[in-house]
Amino acid sequence: MLKLEIDSVNLEFDGRVILSDVYMYLESGVITGLAGRNGSGKSCLLKILSGSMQASYRFIRYNGSHIQNPASDPWLINYLPQENHLPGYLTLKDCIELYRIDEADSSRLQEICSVDPSVKLEGLSGGQRRLTEVCLCLFSPTKFTLLDEPFAHISPVKTELLCEELHQQKSKKSILVTDHQYRTVTDISDRVFLCYNGAVREIENLEDLRKSGYIPKK
């Protein structure tokens, strides 16, 4: 089993504490959910873990060994931000090559997205483009995939199809999913963490979310 840990994360903006002494871990074969309100620091934590944002302090371990820069290994982690991040002039075929996706997964990706390989990203609707960028990350041969709000703007039918594929792909990698809708996170994840008040802790059930004040009590 592969394990990625991020420990002792501290992040401040203009004197405001965003994350304080945070620890979280990911394991292969597991979909990990990260719940939390908007502004709680979820996206910042993913960016720090992917190497695209600097923290005041953080310590990352891969299978027990310290990693200075996760982004230096292209086979380790890929990260889907909330906003579109690929140039619109790229075709789907270009993107499949860029993400090193094999022929079998390429066919499955096109089936899910219903997009012709010759079509440019800028020619897709918002939902199609989002789904395409999610699938590119999901099917790429990295060991860990971080998805920030992957279901935004995607139709219910395609969301259901994507959730099925997430469970298929977890046999090949570890997947981290964030969403501000806690039901989305808890329904799809094998393990859930909650980000709140600058901290991150693992939760066992909905009662833990109620005790934390994240969702209303019955």
Side-chain angles (χ1 to χ4, degrees):
M1 177 180 289
L2 305 180
K3 188 172 186 178
L4 186 68
E5 300 170 274
I6 185 165
D7 197 359
S8 305
V9 182
N10 289 285
L11 179 68
E12 293 186 13
F13 288 140
D14 298 325
R16 175 177 171 246
V17 176
I18 307 299
L19 298 170
S20 177
D21 199 26
V22 163
Y23 171 79
M24 189 175 69
Y25 65 97
L26 308 176
E27 292 177 321
S28 56
V30 175
I31 297 177
T32 300
L34 181 60
R37 295 187 177 92
N38 289 336
S40 62
K42 303 188 304 298
S43 295
C44 290
L45 184 57
L46 266 65
K47 290 176 182 177
I48 293 168
L49 183 54
S50 70
S52 61
M53 174 184 280
Q54 295 296 315
S56 306
Y57 184 82
R58 60 100 172 111
F59 191 82
I60 298 176
R61 291 184 294 271
Y62 172 53
N63 284 351
S65 298
H66 174 234
I67 298 177
Q68 185 63 37
N69 180 17
S72 64
D73 182 354
W75 301 99
L76 184 63
I77 299 173
N78 63 7
Y79 162 61
L80 175 85
Q82 290 185 20
E83 65 280 354
N84 293 334
H85 66 290
L86 294 173
Y89 60 79
L90 293 177
T91 66
L92 178 57
K93 184 177 183 293
D94 294 332
C95 295
I96 288 171
E97 293 175 357
L98 179 65
Y99 278 77
R100 310 179 301 275
I101 298 172
D102 64 29
E103 186 175 348
D105 283 340
S106 173
S107 297
R108 179 59 177 157
L109 185 154
Q110 293 172 56
E111 179 184 349
I112 294 172
C113 298
S114 303
V115 174
D116 186 276
S118 64
V119 172
K120 294 182 179 180
L121 296 182
E122 62 191 7
L124 302 177
S125 68
Q128 277 185 313
R129 183 163 180 174
R130 185 60 177 172
L131 179 60
T132 299
E133 292 194 351
V134 172
C135 287
L136 287 166
C137 284
L138 187 60
F139 284 107
S140 67
T142 55
K143 299 177 180 71
F144 298 88
T145 290
L146 317 179
L147 304 174
D148 195 352
E149 305 278 355
F151 308 110
H153 312 301
I154 298 177
S155 70
V157 172
K158 291 296 187 180
T159 295
E160 184 176 344
L161 194 59
L162 179 56
C163 288
E164 292 174 1
E165 194 59 42
L166 282 166
H167 282 286
Q168 291 293 323
Q169 290 297 315
K170 76 175 184 180
S171 64
K172 304 177 183 179
K173 58 169 62 184
S174 173
I175 302 168
L176 174 62
V177 177
T178 73
D179 199 283
H180 65 279
Q181 298 291 338
Y182 76 92
R183 282 290 185 186
T184 304
V185 173
T186 56
D187 287 350
I188 198 173
S189 302
D190 304 304
R191 178 183 296 128
V192 178
F193 290 87
L194 176 64
C195 187
Y196 73 109
N197 294 336
V200 171
R201 71 180 184 92
E202 190 170 353
I203 64 167
E204 298 296 331
N205 47 49
L206 292 182
E207 187 57 33
D208 283 350
L209 294 179
R210 294 188 181 95
K211 289 178 180 178
S212 70
Y214 179 62
I215 61 174
K217 295 182 179 180
K218 292 182 178 179

